[in-house]
């Protein structure tokens, strides 16, 4: 006696009936990068199909997204001026606040999330205010600024806030800041388990956010650590995060499953720039069937336990899912 698994694989209808994991356009959040100016749409060499855009172009892009059924975006800002604390991020006339206002005014039905961090806004490129002695980000001063930044986004009309800086206590601080300002209904999607990863390389081109000196190893996680990865996410749940996240995604599917098994909160993955670019460049070299590899990859995130996928592939995948 042996099991005949193939009995259930012969008829394609039965195969569909038995499919355990499903991918939908509702799973996607699409990242967009805002810059000041008008009529600007500048493709990033290392990320074909990804652009820095002026606000008017982002507003137009939302029409394209909605036509594809994509109803959710995450915004990143590239300010004109950077300084030691990242003032533009805390200013109601800063690039992020302006972009959120413009998008929500033109597209009230678009669900707008903002990435909440300082690395795009500081002249040193680190994710907060520097401690000159330790030569790393000063955690607690940065917490106050994160809360200020969150309130600026909220006043501009954002739907959800996604803090990505891996500061300890960031969810407590941001939740308190939002609640005090009367924004208790704005959810927080925490980049709760974020590794210090070389897969962010191309993103730092598009977001102009490479640290000038040093790296992010004193705040982002060591890719070798599994127990700590779970603790990080569980802590953000305790602090009141509404949605957790594992980032990057592809090389960390074991962590996605571990976190999923340790929380009842919804879980997002960030299918990061390096993962996207690898597929693009492999396709360019003619060595993979791009669409098939992309869909297999996105499905794997769902199977591993992701409820939400933040991905630069969202438009291409949405088109394939319509067929
Ligand atoms: C900012 C931030 C980063 C990413 C999202 N938010 C970069 C970093 O931490 O250096 C990475 C996204 C990607 O690689 O696509 N804190
Ligand atoms: Zn950052």
């Amino acid at each position: 006696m042996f099991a005949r698994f193939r009995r259930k694989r012969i008829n394609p209808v039965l195969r569909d009936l038995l499919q355990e994991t499903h991918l939908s356009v509702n799973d996607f959040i699409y990242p967009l990068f805002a810059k000041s100016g008008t009529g600007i749409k500048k493709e990033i060499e290392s990320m074909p199909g990804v652009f820095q855009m002026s606000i008017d172009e982002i507003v137009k892009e939302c029409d394209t997204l909605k036509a594809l059924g994509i109803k959710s975006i995450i915004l990143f800002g590239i300010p004109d001026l950077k300084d030691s604390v990242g003032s533009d991020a805390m200013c109601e006339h800063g690039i992020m606040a302006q972009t959120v206002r413009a998008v929500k005014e033109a597209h009230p039905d678009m669900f707008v999330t903002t990435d909440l961090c300082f690395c795009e806004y500081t002249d040193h490129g680190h994710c907060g205010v520097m401690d000159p002695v330790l030569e790393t980000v000063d955690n607690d001063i940065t917490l106050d600024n994160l809360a200020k930044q969150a309130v600026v986004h909220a006043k501009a009309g954002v739907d959800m806030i996604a803090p990505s800086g891996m500061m300890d206590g960031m969810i407590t601080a941001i939740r308190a800041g939002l609640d005090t300002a009367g924004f208790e209904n704005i959810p927080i999607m925490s980049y709760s388990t974020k590794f210090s990863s070389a897969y962010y390389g191309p993103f730092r081109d598009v977001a102009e956010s490479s640290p000038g000196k040093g790296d992010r190893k004193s705040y982002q996680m060591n890719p070798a650590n599994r127990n700590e990865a779970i603790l990080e996410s569980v802590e953000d749940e305790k602090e009141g995060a509404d949605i957790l996240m594992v980032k990057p995604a592809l090389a960390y599917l074991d962590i996605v499953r571990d976190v999923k098994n340790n929380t009842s909160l919804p879980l997002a993955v960030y299918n990061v720039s390096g993962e996207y670019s690898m597929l693009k460049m492999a396709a360019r070299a003619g060595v993979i069937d791009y669409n098939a590899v992309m869909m297999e990859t996105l499905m794997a995130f769902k199977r591993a336990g992701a409820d939400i996928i933040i991905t630069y592939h969202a438009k291409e995948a949405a088109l394939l899912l319509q067929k």
Side-chain angles (χ1 to χ4, degrees):
M1 227 330 239
F2 56 86
R4 289 199 180 274
F5 291 105
R6 296 186 55 201
R7 199 158 34 209
K8 289 178 281 192
R9 290 182 197 142
I10 295 166
N11 186 302
V13 177
L14 184 56
R15 278 205 302 270
D16 283 350
L17 279 170
L18 299 177
Q19 181 165 324
E20 296 177 38
T21 308
H22 297 273
L23 198 59
S24 147
V25 68
N26 294 329
D27 302 328
F28 301 145
I29 301 180
Y30 187 63
L32 287 170
F33 300 90
K35 221 181 158 67
S36 71
T38 48
I40 295 167
K41 191 170 175 184
K42 184 174 160 239
E43 189 164 25
I44 306 307
E45 226 171 286
S46 57
M47 296 181 76
V50 176
F51 302 81
Q52 294 181 339
M53 289 183 216
S54 50
I55 297 173
D56 56 322
E57 292 291 331
I58 286 188
V59 168
K60 270 196 252 168
E61 180 73 2
C62 289
D63 283 316
T64 309
L65 294 173
K66 288 197 291 188
L68 288 164
I70 299 166
K71 295 170 277 190
S72 176
I73 58 173
I74 181 163
L75 290 172
F76 296 86
I78 307 150
D80 287 332
L81 283 174
K82 302 185 189 225
D83 61 20
S84 65
V85 296
S87 305
D88 189 88
M90 293 179 282
C91 170
E92 292 186 22
H93 308 288
I95 184 70
M96 192 65 110
Q98 283 183 49
T99 309
V100 170
R101 272 195 298 272
V103 169
K104 288 304 294 185
E105 193 186 322
H107 303 281
D109 53 346
M110 181 58 84
F111 189 80
V112 177
T113 299
T114 44
D115 179 272
L116 188 90
C117 201
F118 283 102
C119 45
E120 292 111 87
Y121 305 91
T122 51
D123 49 17
H124 45 73
H126 282 284
C127 300
V129 179
M130 292 303 277
D131 177 325
V133 180
L134 292 175
E135 290 193 325
T136 179
V137 175
D138 183 319
N139 194 85
D140 296 11
I141 294 176
T142 300
L143 291 183
D144 295 337
N145 290 355
L146 284 170
K148 280 184 206 152
Q149 193 183 162
V151 172
V152 166
H153 294 188
K155 283 186 177 158
V158 80
D159 295 300
M160 181 158 77
I161 282 176
S164 64
M166 287 293 282
M167 294 301 123
D168 291 324
M170 67 180 184
I171 303 306
T172 300
I174 293 165
R175 188 71 270 162
L178 288 172
D179 291 356
T180 306
F183 296 107
E184 55 283 300
N185 284 322
I186 294 189
I188 299 173
M189 174 169 72
S190 179
Y191 287 66
S192 50
T193 298
K194 178 174 177 181
F195 292 93
S196 174
S197 170
Y199 281 96
Y200 308 149
F203 171 93
R204 292 178 187 171
D205 292 342
V206 61
E208 299 175 3
S209 64
S210 286
K213 222 171 63 181
D215 52 41
R216 304 206 206 288
K217 290 194 171 86
S218 66
Y219 39 104
Q220 298 180 347
M221 267 197 62
N222 181 344
N225 294 355
R226 179 172 209 163
N227 292 320
E228 189 186 0
I230 299 168
L231 288 172
E232 274 281 7
S233 274
V234 167
E235 167 63 16
D236 283 8
E237 171 169 5
K238 285 186 201 144
E239 289 184 29
D242 299 282
I243 301 173
L244 303 177
M245 192 193 302
V246 172
K247 178 188 172 188
L250 193 49
Y252 296 86
L253 294 181
D254 56 331
I255 306 296
V256 175
R257 175 47 58 186
D258 283 338
V259 171
K260 187 67 182 171
N261 288 347
N262 281 280
T263 182
S264 298
L265 286 182
L267 181 62
V269 291
Y270 200 131
N271 175 208
V272 301
S273 55
E275 301 169 21
Y276 172 83
S277 297
M278 286 197 303
L279 264 57
K280 280 287 177 198
M281 298 309 168
R284 230 179 228 185
V287 297
I288 58 164
D289 175 342
Y290 177 81
N291 284 342
V293 171
M294 169 179 72
M295 295 311 264
E296 186 176 326
T297 303
L298 295 172
M299 185 65 80
F301 299 148
K302 293 288 301 277
R303 191 197 60 234
D307 302 289
I308 294 173
I309 305 170
I310 305 172
T311 180
Y312 307 100
H313 295 298
K315 288 164 69 179
E316 297 164 321
L319 205 55
L320 291 173
L321 287 168
Q322 285 174 354
K323 292 195 184 124

